[in-house]
């Protein structure tokens, strides 16, 4: 089956291979949050991005392969409802942005800022702070050596716009950071995986940035 990135709560996960990284996307919880299980095809090590909800389903997805760490993209509660239960069941290391870490319901083992690296076996995710949705929101970038770049954007970037903000200053900062740190750096074929809903690529969204600025959200 071809990967589409279109998942629904209660429905099946969707999986794709990105070089040595296997990406599995699932939707959970009342706010239809996306969670992403990453597995290194060479070592079998697994990392979960956003233990958002439905711990039982997430643990079933993890299976017998163990879980090395859980990365939380930002502090909002809909992205960590299952975090404590998943960590207790697996002993996984916890990772989050420095400026959101104190707002999570578990002790954060590794606090990260831009430039930090999160390993998934032989693969590596680069941390990029993208501030505006929350003070400590992070994006994770995986550069497939034989393919495209993959971005896990949390609630900072969606198809059709940036994430929700609560003041004009926050919006301007978020759209500036998304334009500079993501669109300004990565190619059009860069695929991104948001915290809710469908995926997209930067090329499909790039021309709309002036419209996002004009409408203010």
């Amino acid at each position: 089956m071809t990967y589409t990135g279109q998942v629904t709560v209660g429905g099946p996960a969707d999986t794709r291979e990105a070089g040595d990284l296997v990406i599995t996307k699932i939707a959970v919880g009342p706010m239809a949050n996306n969670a992403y299980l990453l597995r290194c095809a060479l070592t079998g090590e697994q990392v979960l991005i956003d233990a958002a909800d439905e711990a039982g389903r997430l643990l079933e997805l993890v299976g017998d392969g163990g879980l090395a760490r859980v990365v939380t993209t930002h502090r909002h509660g809909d992205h960590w409802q299952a975090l404590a239960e998943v960590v207790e069941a697996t002993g996984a290391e916890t990772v989050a942005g420095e400026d959101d870490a104190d707002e999570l319901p578990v002790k954060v083992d590794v606090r990260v800022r831009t430039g930090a690296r999160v390993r998934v076996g032989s693969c590596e995710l680069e941390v990029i702070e993208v501030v505006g949705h929350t003070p400590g929101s992070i994006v994770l970038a995986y550069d497939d050596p034989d393919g495209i770049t993959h971005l896990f954007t949390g609630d900072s970037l969606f198809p059709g716009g940036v994430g929700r903000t609560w003041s004009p200053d926050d919006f301007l900062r978020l759209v500036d950071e998304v334009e500079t740190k993501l669109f300004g750096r990565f190619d059009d074929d860069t695929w991104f995986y948001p915290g809710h809903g469908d995926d997209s690529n930067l090329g499909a969204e790039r021309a709309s940035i002036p419209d996002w600025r004009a409408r203010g959200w």
Side-chain angles (χ1 to χ4, degrees):
M1 296 291 290
T2 301
Y3 175 84
T4 67
Q6 297 174 340
V7 294
T8 58
V9 175
D14 199 3
T15 299
R16 76 186 301 182
E17 294 182 4
D20 293 332
L21 189 70
V22 180
I23 301 168
T24 299
K25 177 180 181 178
I26 191 171
V28 293
M31 297 185 69
N33 286 73
N34 295 327
Y36 300 94
L37 182 68
L38 311 182
R39 178 174 60 84
C40 173
L42 298 180
T43 69
E45 185 171 78
Q46 298 189 124
V47 171
L48 182 66
I49 298 177
D50 284 346
D53 214 318
E54 298 186 58
R57 290 191 71 205
L58 297 179
L59 290 170
E60 182 179 357
L61 194 66
V62 169
D64 297 330
L67 191 64
R69 53 196 59 87
V70 182
V71 184
T72 303
T73 58
H74 63 287
R75 66 173 67 183
H76 288 156
D78 58 309
H79 290 260
W80 51 253
Q81 289 301 304
L83 180 58
E85 188 172 345
V86 167
V87 169
E88 183 177 3
T90 62
E93 179 182 72
T94 53
V95 182
E98 175 70 45
D99 293 331
D100 274 7
D102 289 339
E103 304 300 320
L104 301 187
V106 299
K107 176 181 177 293
V108 174
D109 300 312
V110 181
R111 296 166 175 249
V112 293
R113 291 199 178 275
T114 293
R117 299 294 194 271
V118 177
R119 297 210 64 81
V120 188
S122 66
C123 303
E124 190 174 72
L125 309 175
E126 177 190 351
V127 175
I128 305 168
E129 293 171 279
V130 177
V131 178
H133 183 67
T134 68
S137 289
I138 58 173
V139 169
L140 300 159
Y142 168 65
D143 184 11
D144 178 359
D146 300 314
I148 63 173
T149 300
H150 301 259
L151 300 176
F152 300 89
T153 58
D155 284 0
S156 292
L157 176 64
F158 295 95
V162 297
R164 183 182 177 187
T165 54
W166 286 263
S167 75
D169 286 345
D170 284 342
F171 168 75
L172 287 174
R173 180 162 189 187
L174 179 56
V175 75
D176 283 346
E177 296 222 339
V178 164
E179 184 170 18
T180 301
K181 295 180 178 181
L182 304 184
F183 287 93
R185 175 178 170 189
F186 297 105
D187 295 335
D188 281 351
D189 61 1
T190 298
W191 194 270
F192 69 88
Y193 307 80
H196 306 261
D198 295 345
D199 309 345
S200 186
N201 63 59
L202 296 187
E205 311 297 327
R206 190 181 300 276
S208 299
I209 297 173
D211 296 333
W212 304 347
R213 287 187 177 277
R215 76 188 183 195
W217 56 274

